Structures are given as structure tokens and as C-alpha cells.
Amino acid sequence: PAIRSGSLGFACWIFSLGFLRWLRGISEQTGKLVKHLQEKYGLKRWVLSTIEIDEEMKGDYPQFVSKTQGKEFRFEISGLAVNLNYLTIDEKTGEVFVHKPIDREEYPCFHVIFDVYDTETNQKIDKELAFDVDVKDINDNPPTFMKIPKDFLVNESQPEVIGQDLDEKNSVNSTFNITVIKQDPLEPKIQAKWIDERIVHLNFTGCFDYDYQITLEAKDHGTPPLSSTAVITLNVGDTNTNMPVFKKREFKILCGRCSAELFRFKVDDKDTPNTDGWRAKFFFISGNQKGNFKVETDPKTNEGVLSIKTNYDNTTLVELVIGVENIEPFTKCQNGKLIKNDSKLYADRIVVKVTMLDDNDPPEFHPPKAKVYENEESEPGRVIFTPKVVDPDSTSFRFQLVEDPADWVSVDEKTGEIKTTKKMDRESPFVDENDIYKIVIAAIDDGKPPATSYCTIDVQLRDINDNKPQLANSSLIMCGNKNKVIISVQDLDGEPYCGPFTFAFDNEEDEKQWKLDPTHGLYTSVNPNDLLVLKPLPFGNYSVSLLIGDQQNNVGHQTLAVVVCDCGDTDKCRAKQPLSIDFGGPGVALIIAGFLLFLKKQLKDMTDEGTQTLIKYNQEGGGSACNVSWL
């Protein structure tokens, strides 16, 4: 085993030595090939790694920036820089030129494709050759304000300002500061506090009393440093820093039977009008323990309105103390800080002395509105209502009739009894659609001045069957080309004293000429009754006597006039046509023959003068008479 192990190690050593000699041979051959290429082409380098160009280079263009060495080669470059005519290359010498200034903020870097061709074969020497062009930044951009509020309401939040610099990031050219270089007014002092590399907040300490105008400057750290400015207007939102003040401190009111609103009072407030720091809010400090009064604010005028909720029964003096504050809590600037305080501690106040006089109260009806029921057409003289009245100030009062539109009732001046003087008709135009007749009476006491109250009595009239059915139309037209007409009926009574109705003829002669359909004369709006003619009638006027009864068999006698006429294509009688004569051919012949006979007779009677003689021809016997018929 020992001999065998030594042999294996020796063999590995011999193999390794041979492999190294092989690698050395390959390396020597590669070196010879590279040397041959260098000797043949004179090539120093294939790839341009990176070219640096200053941004906005001064001087005349084109300017040389780099060179690729070699001989018997043709050089080409391509890419965006070439397309935009920033870079070119001399295809023979390999010199690279820049033709115009480059703005780094627009093109910070170009990637250029570089190709090398053998001038003899025009074949590419290598593939995927390239180089980069880096544009070195200069400080040519001042920092600017990207987001800045032109007008800002201070009490909303801290004003935020955002700036930027387009120069190379994280360089002195793009690093900048924002500072407040001017403010008006000068106090309180406003400063810019950095939140991050681009954002600052405007901070301040103290209390604002005015609107402020702030001028900001953003300046970078480049050489030379560049800057820009912006102006912000800080609108100071008004807070409640002034309490309302009454224009008058003391009031005296003399009140008898007072209306709800007693009086109004005004206040002054130096805060911004129509804000919650200006709007007044009134409250009772003392004197209204029983809650008889109410104080409110008129939203349009900002005035205080004092009202009475309950009148006093006896003469009473009430002293009210009323305070005023604002809707927004009162604030005060102390030691440069805005502090909220209890408004009521600083509230202004007034004293209102109200003398309530015991006034003459009017009589009171119990109830003030009543309803009674009465049958229509009842005999007059019935008492339909007697009022109940209470008067705390008087035991003597009289009654008066105020409203009785149909003049149907009277009222007793001492007792207030309402009595009918005429029959009440439910169908009267003074009764409303609900069958109610309204009466109003008044109670007047003996006070000075007298006090009056009113009571309304609604009389609900019950219907009776006091109206007979009547024809809605007492005259109808029956066209000659039709044989019936529809009969319509109305009854002023209501249910159950109206339809459906029954119909019948009032004499036998009408039954020979007319017919009612349906047979029993039942009439409703859904099933109307028809009057039919039994045989054709000449055009003219006819009368039909009818008996019409309601549900309670209350029968009315009615006469229906029927006009039978020619209607043509309408439902109305046609107008009468003027007389006309149509002779036709035979008629014209007869007229001519008659005229000739008339001439013959006239010639016969004429006296024969001279030798002339009238000779009659074609005459056999006497002449026959000719009668003309006028049609």
C-alpha cells in the first residue's frame, strides 16, 4: 500500500506540470497574436470608457474632447448625442468633438455606441464597443419654490413651503436654505423651520393682530451662490378677542296686555362682522326664575329681542339682568400667547325693569269653538246653542251676533242663546261642501275699554228629502237618422234621498209614440235611461210628460221637449235651406211652348192694316189649353 500511494502522488505531480506547460503555451500564442495585431494595425485601445464634459462649456465650437488612436481604421459613433448634434468623431483620426453647450439638467449623461472598421475589408474589428459621456454640473440654476401659498389663513395650520434646485443632487449647487428676509409688520417674528431637504414650515410665536406679508429667499451653496424669492400673504383669521358691549345699560318698560315681543336692544362688537366671534348670544343672569320671559338674537340685525311668554294677573315689577357673549369663546392675548377665557366672566350686562299692569282680560268662551247638529227645514224658534263664558275681571257682559250670512238665527244679548228665525236649507249657497253653516258670536264685557272675545258655532245640517228629481236638460234634440235620446236627471238632496231614479210616462198618448229603456226606468250614471221613438216621426217639436222618482219615491212631474230634425253628419239640427226650382229638359220645353201660344193669341187680336193678312196654318179644330206645372 505504501508503494502504491507514493506512485499515485508522483503521477498527479507529473500531470500538473504538463497542464501548466500547456497553459503557458496558450498564453504565449495569445500574446503573439495580440502583438501581431498591434504591429499590423497600430491599435492602442478599443473602448473609450468615460468622457467628462463640463456643462455649458464656454468658448468656440466645435471643441475637442477625446481621441481614439490607431491606423488603417475608420471610426463611427452613434446614439442620442450624435442624433442631437452634440458629438461627432473624425472617422480617420478618431478625434471626438462637442459642437454646442450641453445642459446637464436636461442631459446629465450620454451613452455612445463606438464602431471600428478595417479600411481594407470594411469589416468591423469588434462588436458592442461603447463609451459614456458625463456632463459635469455647474451652478447654473437657483433654487426655486415649487409649492408656495400666495394667501394663507393663519389659524388653519402652519404655512408649508416646498423648494427645489435642478442642479446635481447632493452637491453644493443643489443644496439650499430658505429664510425669511422681510416681513410686515415686524412682530411677532416669523421663522422658517426645515422639515426635510425641500420642505419648510413658517413658525411664529405670539398673537396676531394684523395681516402679514412675508418675503422668503431660497439660496444655494454653489459658487457663486444663486437665489430666488417669493412673497406670501398671511391672512390672520379673526378670533373672538373683543366682547360685545351694550349701547345702553338700563331700560324701563310699562306693560299692560303685552304682545310677545317687548323690545329690542343693540350691541357693539369690534370683531369681524358676520363671524361667530361677532355674533351675539344673550342670556339671563337673574330675574327670570319663573321662566316668564325669553331673550333671543335676531340673526339678521344681531339685536337682542326680549319677549314675554306669560302675562301676570296682578300688577308686578320685574327686574331682569341680561348678559351678552359671542357664539365663539372669548380669547385674550397674554404674554404673547392666545388664551381662551370664560366668556361669562367678561360679559357686559344690562338691567331691564318691567312693570306688568293688571289689564282688563276679555271674557273666555268654554269652548271657543262648538259644533251642533240640526235637521234642515226644521221649524224656526228652536234654541240650537247656549254658550258658557268666564271673565276673571268682570261679571257683566253682553252677547252680539257677528256672523250669520243667511240671516237664519238670532242671539240673546244677555244669555247668548242662539235661536233659529227661519228654516235652514242644506242646499243653500251659504252652506259649505261639508253641509256646515258657520255662526260667530261675541262676548263683550263692561271694562274700560271693553274687552271682546269670539266663539264660532258650526251647525251641521242633516239632509231631508225636500227636493224632487229634475231634468238636467228639459230640451233635447233627436236627429232623424237616430231613434233615441239620453235623459239626464239631477237631485239637490244627498244620500239616501237622490238616485238611482225611476221613470214613467204621465199620459197614455206618449206611450203609443215613445218608449223608455230600460223598461222600469232605472237611471244611474253607469246605466243611463234612454227615450226611444217607436215609429219614425216627421221633423218638428214634441212634448213628452214624465214622472221621475228618487229612492224614497218622491216623484216629480217633468215635461221634456224633443226636437226631431235633420242633423246631417252632426248632432245638431241643420239650418233651413233656401227654396230652389229645378225645371230640367221637359220643363224648359213647356215654358217655350207656353210662350209661343201667348204670342199667337196676341197676334190674333191685332187689327189687320193694309193688304197684309195673317194666315193660320196647321190648325185642326180649336186650340187645346197648355197647363204648366212648377215644381
Side-chain angles (χ1 to χ4, degrees):
I3 295 174
R4 194 175 296 160
S5 174
S7 299
L8 180 60
F10 179 75
C12 290
W13 178 78
I14 294 296
F15 176 78
S16 300
L17 183 62
F19 180 72
L20 290 175
R21 288 179 178 178
W22 179 79
L23 288 177
R24 185 186 302 168
I26 292 296
S27 176
E28 290 175 356
Q29 292 296 326
T30 302
K32 291 178 180 180
L33 178 61
V34 171
K35 184 177 180 181
H36 171 72
L37 292 174
Q38 291 177 344
E39 291 175 354
K40 181 179 180 180
Y41 298 110
L43 186 65
K44 296 299 182 181
R45 58 183 181 182
W46 290 98
V47 180
L48 299 175
S49 59
T50 300
I51 297 176
E52 290 186 346
I53 299 176
D54 289 336
E55 177 185 13
E56 306 288 351
M57 288 193 307
K58 307 297 182 182
D60 297 331
Y61 287 89
Q63 296 188 29
F64 172 79
V65 293
S66 184
K67 181 179 180 179
T68 300
Q69 297 180 355
K71 58 184 178 178
E72 299 179 3
F73 290 100
R74 180 170 56 84
F75 304 97
E76 288 185 1
I77 58 176
S78 61
L80 181 62
V82 178
N83 296 338
L84 298 177
N85 198 30
Y86 281 116
L87 296 179
T88 61
I89 189 170
D90 189 311
E91 64 177 11
K92 294 181 179 179
T93 65
E95 293 177 334
V96 180
F97 296 91
V98 61
H99 287 262
K100 55 184 177 180
I102 302 175
D103 183 3
R104 190 204 68 83
E105 284 70 46
E106 186 174 6
Y107 301 109
C109 179
F110 291 112
H111 185 71
V112 182
I113 305 300
F114 173 52
D115 293 317
V116 182
Y117 294 87
D118 188 330
T119 56
E120 295 180 359
T121 63
N122 203 31
Q123 298 294 321
K124 283 186 180 182
I125 301 303
D126 207 340
K127 298 179 180 179
E128 298 181 357
L129 302 176
F131 63 90
D132 292 328
V133 177
D134 286 342
V135 182
K136 296 175 62 179
D137 183 41
I138 64 172
N139 190 21
D140 59 341
N141 289 282
T144 58
F145 295 96
M146 292 175 56
K147 178 182 177 183
I148 182 168
K150 298 300 181 183
D151 292 281
F152 196 89
L153 188 61
V154 172
N155 60 3
E156 287 181 348
S157 60
Q158 288 181 323
E160 183 176 272
V161 179
I162 300 177
Q164 69 172 0
D165 194 314
L166 298 178
D167 290 322
E168 184 178 358
K169 189 175 182 181
N170 299 323
S171 69
V172 293
N173 293 336
S174 63
T175 304
F176 60 93
N177 292 332
I178 296 178
T179 57
V180 177
I181 61 173
K182 184 180 179 181
Q183 73 173 64
D184 183 27
L186 298 177
E187 294 295 336
K189 190 68 175 178
I190 300 174
Q191 297 177 338
K193 178 182 179 183
W194 283 90
I195 303 302
D196 57 28
E197 61 182 9
R198 295 191 313 150
I199 303 174
V200 297
H201 282 171
L202 298 181
N203 289 348
F204 50 87
T205 57
C207 305
F208 283 103
D209 289 329
Y210 309 95
D211 290 342
Y212 287 73
Q213 192 172 66
I214 310 300
T215 302
L216 301 176
E217 180 186 62
K219 180 184 289 187
D220 64 25
H221 300 164
T223 304
L226 301 178
S227 63
S228 65
T229 60
V231 176
I232 300 178
T233 299
L234 300 182
N235 297 313
V236 179
D238 187 24
T239 58
N240 185 18
T241 56
N242 296 278
M243 288 294 292
V245 177
F246 287 104
K247 289 188 174 183
K248 186 178 178 181
R249 288 286 188 279
E250 190 170 332
F251 298 87
K252 292 182 179 181
I253 302 173
L254 189 63
C255 178
R257 176 59 55 179
C258 299
S259 59
E261 182 178 313
L262 292 180
F263 81 110
R264 291 172 172 248
F265 36 88
K266 296 182 179 181
V267 293
D268 283 331
D269 197 313
K270 295 181 180 179
D271 291 313
T272 303
N274 299 316
T275 63
D276 285 350
W278 171 84
R279 295 185 178 93
K281 184 170 68 173
F282 301 91
F283 57 93
F284 289 106
I285 297 176
S286 63
N288 192 37
Q289 290 79 2
K290 294 183 178 181
N292 293 327
F293 298 90
K294 179 174 65 173
V295 62
E296 296 174 302
T297 304
D298 187 323
K300 295 182 179 179
T301 64
N302 209 35
E303 294 176 310
V305 181
L306 180 64
S307 303
I308 185 169
K309 297 166 63 176
T310 305
N311 278 287
Y312 289 81
D313 294 334
N314 301 311
T315 299
T316 307
L317 175 62
V318 181
E319 185 173 292
L320 302 173
V321 180
I322 300 174
V324 61
E325 58 182 347
N326 295 118
I327 295 177
E328 180 183 324
F330 174 65
T331 54
K332 188 176 182 181
C333 189
Q334 293 179 347
N335 300 323
K337 294 183 179 180
L338 204 62
I339 301 174
K340 290 185 178 181
N341 292 274
D342 185 1
S343 298
K344 290 183 172 58
L345 295 177
Y346 300 88
D348 194 15
R349 61 187 62 193
I350 58 173
V351 176
V352 181
K353 296 179 180 180
V354 183
T355 301
M356 303 296 300
L357 300 176
D358 183 17
D359 201 4
N360 180 29
D361 294 316
E364 296 178 2
F365 283 97
H366 295 285
K369 186 172 183 177
K371 187 172 185 179
V372 297
Y373 295 85
E374 183 73 10
N375 291 331
E376 69 166 333
E377 302 297 340
S378 296
E379 293 298 324
R382 290 168 46 84
V383 176
I384 60 175
F385 179 74
T386 301
K388 294 182 179 179
V389 179
V390 175
D391 191 334
D393 297 326
S394 177
T395 57
S396 175
F397 40 84
R398 57 188 176 86
F399 295 93
Q400 180 177 319
L401 185 61
V402 177
E403 189 173 334
D404 176 25
D407 194 23
W408 285 345
V409 300
S410 64
V411 62
D412 188 292
E413 185 176 298
K414 294 182 179 180
T415 64
E417 282 186 348
I418 297 176
K419 184 183 296 186
T420 60
T421 58
K422 298 177 183 177
K423 292 183 179 180
M424 293 184 173
D425 184 8
R426 189 190 68 90
E427 290 74 41
S428 168
F430 299 107
V431 178
D432 67 16
E433 65 275 7
N434 298 315
D435 302 337
I436 291 177
Y437 179 71
K438 187 171 74 171
I439 302 169
V440 179
I441 61 174
I444 308 169
D445 66 15
D446 58 356
K448 294 182 180 180
T452 305
S453 61
Y454 301 91
C455 179
T456 300
I457 301 95
D458 289 339
V459 182
Q460 180 77 56
L461 290 174
R462 298 188 183 96
D463 190 25
I464 64 172
N465 196 6
D466 58 337
N467 292 281
K468 298 181 185 298
Q470 295 179 345
L471 291 171
N473 294 305
S474 60
S475 178
L476 299 175
I477 294 176
M478 179 179 287
C479 294
N481 57 351
K482 300 180 182 179
N483 67 340
K484 67 177 180 179
V485 290
I486 297 176
I487 303 174
S488 298
V489 180
Q490 63 183 4
D491 193 326
L492 296 178
D493 295 321
E495 288 286 350
Y497 305 117
C498 54
F501 307 101
T502 57
F503 296 81
F505 292 113
D506 199 16
N507 60 66
E508 295 179 357
E509 292 300 322
D510 288 337
E511 293 179 358
K512 297 176 182 179
Q513 191 165 301
W514 307 92
K515 178 184 177 181
L516 290 167
D517 186 27
T519 305
H520 301 289
L522 182 66
Y523 171 84
T524 64
S525 59
V526 179
N527 184 23
N529 193 279
D530 294 335
L531 177 66
L532 293 85
V533 64
L534 296 176
K535 58 183 178 181
L537 297 174
F539 293 164
N541 299 327
Y542 299 87
S543 295
V544 181
S545 296
L546 298 173
L547 298 175
I548 307 173
D550 61 19
Q551 293 186 61
Q552 310 301 325
N553 201 27
N554 188 3
V555 178
H557 297 259
Q558 295 283 299
T559 299
L560 176 64
V562 181
V563 180
V564 181
C565 64
D566 179 18
C567 300
D569 296 331
T570 67
D571 294 330
K572 297 180 180 180
C573 295
R574 297 177 60 182
K576 292 183 179 181
Q577 300 294 327
L579 294 176
S580 62
I581 301 175
D582 185 6
F583 294 101
V588 173
L590 289 173
I591 291 173
I592 294 173
F595 180 68
L596 291 176
L597 288 175
F598 172 75
L599 289 178
K600 180 178 180 180
K601 185 175 184 301
Q602 293 297 324
L603 291 173
K604 181 178 178 181
D605 294 337
M606 292 177 64
T607 303
D608 190 13
E609 295 182 359
T611 59
Q612 296 181 1
T613 303
L614 181 61
I615 301 174
K616 299 180 180 180
Y617 293 93
N618 300 327
Q619 181 173 346
E620 296 183 7
S624 60
C626 179
N627 297 322
V628 179
S629 177
W630 296 82
L631 300 178

